[in-house]
Amino acid sequence: MITFLRTASIASGKVGSALGFAHEISGYLKSHFGLDVTVHMPIGGNPNRVAWSASYDSLAALDAMQGRMMADKDYMGMVAKGSENFLAGSVHDTLWRTV
């Protein structure tokens, strides 16, 4: 099992709209791709961050889903529009393997 985790730092004054966007994009991925994406906020450290996580059976499944997402014009439009909520260059992706 592979867990994908994406974090982003929220721009000043954008916590409410960033969280709204985080849940909107999560809902879109569920309704259009059947992908269960969970939205997280940190308990410690920098509180002005948000994270999304999703689990996949394999790296190949992750790669295939990301290809479908990148080809979806509506999804890419949502991402572009939502980018105003986050600090440029702050997106960070990590992959975790279940052991």
Side-chain angles (χ1 to χ4, degrees):
M1 180 73 65
I2 301 296
T3 300
F4 172 84
L5 181 72
R6 170 169 286 168
T7 60
S9 295
I10 301 170
S12 181
K14 298 284 190 173
V15 171
S17 59
L19 291 178
F21 168 77
H23 286 285
E24 178 184 3
I25 209 82
S26 177
Y28 182 87
L29 292 171
K30 176 67 173 176
S31 66
H32 287 77
F33 298 103
L35 182 61
D36 289 316
V37 177
T38 305
V39 178
H40 310 270
M41 284 193 77
I43 294 172
N46 176 2
N48 294 315
R49 293 177 295 154
V50 66
W52 297 264
S53 66
S55 294
Y56 300 86
D57 290 332
S58 65
L59 286 172
L62 166 65
D63 186 52
M65 180 61 72
Q66 287 187 337
R68 290 177 58 202
M69 291 163 56
M70 297 296 282
D72 185 303
K73 291 180 183 179
D74 292 332
Y75 171 75
M76 295 306 293
M78 290 174 72
V79 170
K81 183 178 177 187
S83 68
E84 67 188 24
N85 294 302
F86 304 99
L87 299 177
S90 71
V91 174
H92 181 76
D93 295 344
T94 56
L95 298 175
W96 295 78
R97 174 181 49 210
T98 301
V99 293

